[in-house]
Amino acid sequence: MSSSIQRFYSIADLRSHAKKRLPKAIFDFFDGGAEDELTLQRNVKAFQEKRFIPQVLNDVSQIDYSAPMLGGPSAMPCAIAPTGAVGFGWPKGDIAIAKAAAIFNIPYCLSTTATASIEQIAKDAPGRHWFQAYILKNQDFFNQLVQRAQDADYEALMITVDLPVGGKRERDFRNDFKIPFHLTLRNLMDFSSRPLWALPMLFRGIPELENLIGLDSQSATKQNLGSSVGKNYDPSFNWERLQRIRDQWPRKLIIKGVLNPEDAMRLVKMGCDAIVVSNHGGRQLDGVIATLDALPNIAKAVNQAIPVYIDGGIRRGGDIVKAIASGADGVLIGRATLYGAIAAGEEGAHHALAILQDELKRTMQLCGVSNIQEIHHSLLDKSPSGMN
Ligand SMILES: Cc1cc2nc3c(=O)[nH]c(=O)nc-3n(C[C@H](O)[C@H](O)[C@H](O)COP(=O)(O)O)c2cc1C
């Protein structure tokens, strides 16, 4: 590990470095949210505003922060959230994050729109793998993706349900940013202002959304897949079709993008294996409830029948403690490791997880708990000012 990366002490430091390294349009694609970004901001703020009430005089010399994720071993109560197009920020960035997850012994979830294939991840980053699937209009292609995940021994299928259509991401519009790159004078100047980013892109070639190659063979070449993806999501997807997926997929099924307790109860009845309380990191419906605000009612409705995970706004190890104290069984890490990877590749993704792990352990010690099971809602301030 290079000494310079040790100078990044927080996820915010990694984000700042990524911002300096990348063209504005690329950084904004990763960093941004939908419309006024109210939900993006509120996700982070909800964690920042929660206050601890620690317990003292407990022996915290030995800390065990391991916790099962989806019934399997995990060194922390965390998994990597699916994020698409990482290769646009760092060459082979998806593999960098998957390798870091394997080293830290936590599950990794590959996105449908990743710039690494299902098989590449299985081969280059052995570890616990989940596959996130968007619902494509082309059902045969969707079925093939799911079959490939099964053949490559992915242990779980994650269906994302908060994207019947794309959110309105205005930073991308203003920056003329599209996948594939659509060279306008604005983004040509933007890209050429960051030669350390642009040169490797030129030499290695523009990354591809590897799992979607061949999706629309009539109109899509490898270069124009990005633009064809949005139009291939299926807004007619509904409970009946989800039930069919449940009946056909023999392994664990996770549903991501749940905010409504009634939906959560229905998913439990349907036989889903886990739920992710998520608003897509504020990239979809702006103005929707922050995930930490939605979590307690969902945890109550699910009543421990299946694991409830949360993502959105987790930037500190202490946020993991806050999530668990608020009723989650674990968290998914989205931008935190993404900032690491787009700042410094595998080393950066590794460093992001090291920061979170160190902060998780330290927060547990300072709160007086020595294992994850001891994290309890009594550790959080519930007075009116603590509920802000
Ligand atoms: C750049 C980027 C790409 C994403 N791509 C996907 C995706 O392909 N599939 C998906 O289910 N969620 C995707 N998400 C949402 C994440 O899985 C996760 O819900 C979100 O990042 C959590 O919020 P946080 O980044 O604030 O922690 C993406 C998020 C970002 C920032």
Side-chain angles (χ1 to χ4, degrees):
M1 179 125 338
S2 73
S3 60
S4 58
I5 200 149
Q6 300 301 337
R7 305 287 303 164
F8 301 131
Y9 297 109
S10 64
I11 299 301
D13 288 349
L14 288 167
R15 176 182 179 274
S16 300
H17 187 66
K19 191 172 182 180
K20 282 187 209 136
R21 203 196 136 250
L22 293 172
K24 183 175 184 329
I26 303 292
F27 177 76
D28 279 352
F29 164 73
F30 292 110
D31 193 58
E35 298 181 12
D36 297 314
E37 302 191 340
L38 300 173
T39 296
L40 174 64
Q41 290 160 21
R42 178 64 207 162
N43 277 349
V44 175
K45 225 164 175 239
F47 277 102
Q48 288 172 342
E49 286 175 351
K50 274 263 180 276
R51 307 271 188 268
F52 290 118
I53 303 186
Q55 290 174 344
V56 293
L57 292 170
N58 291 337
D59 176 353
V60 289
S61 54
Q62 303 293 323
I63 300 296
D64 178 6
Y65 40 76
S66 67
M69 287 293 285
L70 211 60
S74 184
M76 292 187 273
C78 304
I80 300 291
T83 52
V86 184
F88 288 87
W90 189 280
K92 299 192 186 293
D94 316 79
I95 296 175
I97 297 178
K99 281 186 171 167
I103 290 168
F104 276 83
N105 210 357
I106 63 172
Y108 169 81
C109 188
L110 180 72
S111 159
T112 300
T113 54
T115 42
S117 72
I118 293 171
E119 295 77 11
Q120 272 169 328
I121 291 290
K123 180 171 150 290
D124 293 345
R128 291 187 62 194
H129 298 143
W130 305 345
F131 178 65
Q132 177 267 326
Y134 283 127
I135 303 301
L136 304 171
K137 281 182 193 156
N138 184 332
Q139 289 193 34
D140 287 342
F141 197 93
F142 173 84
N143 291 340
Q144 283 166 28
L145 280 182
V146 172
Q147 188 60 49
R148 281 170 58 192
Q150 196 174 334
D151 293 345
D153 275 342
Y154 281 57
E155 62 180 65
L157 179 65
M158 180 185 283
I159 303 288
T160 298
V161 292
D162 58 13
L163 203 145
V165 296
K168 186 172 176 243
R169 301 176 195 168
E170 295 176 6
R171 290 201 217 184
D172 294 346
F173 299 158
R174 291 191 189 102
N175 292 329
D176 285 346
F177 181 72
K178 283 184 189 149
I179 300 174
F181 293 151
H182 153 91
L183 280 184
T184 61
L185 187 61
R186 178 194 296 273
N187 58 37
L188 199 60
M189 282 166 60
D190 183 21
F191 295 165
S192 56
S193 73
R194 294 290 187 279
L196 288 180
W197 171 86
L199 289 174
M201 285 290 152
L202 270 180
F203 286 123
R204 289 168 181 264
I206 293 172
E208 292 163 18
L209 306 185
E210 297 276 345
N211 296 310
L212 296 175
I213 291 172
L215 173 60
D216 185 359
S217 51
Q218 264 95 63
S219 63
T221 65
K222 285 181 179 182
Q223 275 71 38
N224 75 9
L225 276 169
S227 64
S228 67
V229 171
K231 78 172 200 278
N232 280 308
Y233 293 149
D234 188 351
S236 72
F237 184 68
N238 61 9
W239 289 95
E240 285 69 36
R241 296 233 337 255
L242 182 62
Q243 183 69 61
R244 259 182 274 148
I245 293 175
R246 171 64 294 185
D247 295 342
Q248 282 161 14
W249 171 257
R251 300 182 190 157
K252 301 268 168 116
L253 184 68
I254 308 167
I255 308 303
K256 172 172 180 277
V258 181
L259 294 167
N260 185 314
E262 284 180 24
D263 286 348
M265 285 192 287
R266 196 162 169 187
L267 291 164
V268 171
K269 284 200 195 103
M270 184 182 259
C272 298
D273 297 292
I275 285 170
V276 185
V277 177
S278 173
N279 52 35
H280 219 104
R283 293 164 79 80
Q284 283 297 106
L285 177 61
D286 195 31
V288 78
I289 188 168
T291 50
L292 189 63
D293 296 334
L295 174 65
N297 283 340
I298 295 194
K300 200 165 153 204
V302 170
N303 196 19
Q304 298 182 342
I306 58 173
V308 173
Y309 303 131
I310 179 174
D311 72 18
I314 291 162
R315 304 289 183 266
R316 291 276 181 194
D319 295 342
I320 303 170
V321 178
K322 290 175 180 176
I324 292 172
S326 304
D329 295 283
V331 308
L332 267 55
I333 309 290
R335 288 185 184 81
T337 36
L338 200 51
Y339 290 138
I342 62 178
E346 189 181 337
E347 196 179 32
H350 187 283
H351 192 57
L353 286 175
I355 289 171
L356 292 177
Q357 190 175 64
D358 170 66
E359 291 174 349
L360 170 63
K361 181 180 176 202
R362 203 182 289 266
T363 304
M364 288 172 69
Q365 287 174 302
L366 292 170
C367 282
V369 294
S370 48
N371 60 54
I372 297 293
Q373 294 70 42
E374 284 175 12
I375 298 174
H376 190 258
H377 64 79
S378 65
L379 286 178
L380 296 177
D381 182 12
K382 284 174 229 43
S383 67
S385 63
M387 299 289 282
N388 280 336

